[in-house]
């Protein structure tokens, strides 16, 4: 089995500014907002943490730039649920890393193959490298979107 999380919904190869959670509302021109509820299954290191990134543009997806929102969630079992609140309606993508050693990075092995589990929204398959942004996007147009 490949190092991929088995979950409904949600790789960031590296992501900066993971030093604290950022789930606060930001300025938005959209008058409608909702919640994105992310359920992650298949976690296997209760001493690790889940690094969750919510992207609203291809410009930040898998780049060394700040995502729209991010969270670091301690892992205490084989699954977890996290909610991003007050998210303006629109198109989004979620990427998750199971950061086993809490070094705030996706550890890579030989030939740059990830040593830690990861996953994306829509659970897209990808043989070589990460999936493209469009394969991972979903629309938030309701009060609650579960991924």
């Amino acid at each position: 089995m490949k190092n991929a999380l088995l979950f409904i919904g949600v790789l960031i190869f590296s992501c900066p500014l993971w030093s604290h959670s950022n789930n606060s509302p930001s300025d938005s021109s959209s008058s409608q907002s909702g919640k994105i509820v992310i359920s992650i299954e298949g976690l296997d290191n209760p001493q690790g943490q889940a690094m969750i990134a919510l992207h609203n543009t291809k410009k930040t997806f898998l780049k060394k730039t700040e995502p729209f929102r991010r969270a670091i969630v301690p892992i205490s079992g084989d699954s977890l649920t996290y909610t991003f609140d007050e998210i303006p309606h629109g198109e989004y993508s979620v990427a998750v890393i199971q950061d086993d050693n809490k070094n705030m990075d996706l550890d890579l092995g030989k030939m740059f193959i990830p040593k830690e589990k990861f996953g994306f929204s829509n659970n897209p398959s990808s043989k070589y490298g990460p999936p493209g942004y469009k394969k991972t996007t979903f629309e938030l147009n309701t009060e609650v979107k579960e991924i």
Side-chain angles (χ1 to χ4, degrees):
M1 184 175 172
K2 294 180 182 176
N3 274 347
L5 288 177
L6 302 175
F7 64 98
I8 301 172
V10 257
L11 173 56
I12 298 178
F13 284 114
S14 64
C15 191
L17 306 174
W18 284 105
S19 60
H20 64 284
S21 178
N22 178 18
N23 193 20
S24 60
S26 63
D27 294 336
S28 171
S29 60
S30 174
S31 61
Q32 293 185 317
S33 64
K35 297 179 181 186
I36 298 176
V37 180
I38 301 164
S39 298
I40 304 170
E41 299 174 0
L43 301 167
D44 61 4
N45 182 355
Q47 280 71 48
Q49 62 191 12
M51 298 189 322
I52 306 170
L54 178 65
H55 299 276
N56 64 347
T57 175
K58 183 179 180 177
K59 291 178 184 178
T60 64
F61 184 68
L62 304 181
K63 303 281 193 284
K64 290 189 174 199
T65 57
E66 183 71 11
F68 177 67
R69 299 273 174 88
R70 65 182 167 9
I72 299 169
V73 183
I75 298 172
S76 60
D78 62 357
S79 64
L80 67 81
T81 300
Y82 185 81
T83 302
F84 286 107
D85 295 314
E86 299 181 38
I87 305 298
H89 284 187
E91 183 180 79
Y92 295 94
S93 172
V94 175
V96 175
I97 295 172
Q98 180 180 320
D99 186 16
D100 292 331
N101 56 6
K102 298 182 180 179
N103 68 348
M104 306 300 284
D105 207 359
L106 177 64
D107 295 330
L108 303 175
K110 294 178 182 178
M111 299 177 63
F112 301 101
I113 296 172
K115 294 167 77 174
E116 296 174 306
K117 290 184 175 184
F118 58 85
F120 296 97
S121 45
N122 299 337
N123 237 359
S125 62
S126 181
K127 279 187 168 182
Y128 306 106
Y133 177 71
K134 279 295 183 188
K135 286 186 175 183
T136 66
T137 59
F138 60 90
E139 197 70 31
L140 173 64
N141 55 12
T142 59
E143 189 175 318
V144 177
K145 176 73 174 182
E146 294 185 17
I147 315 184

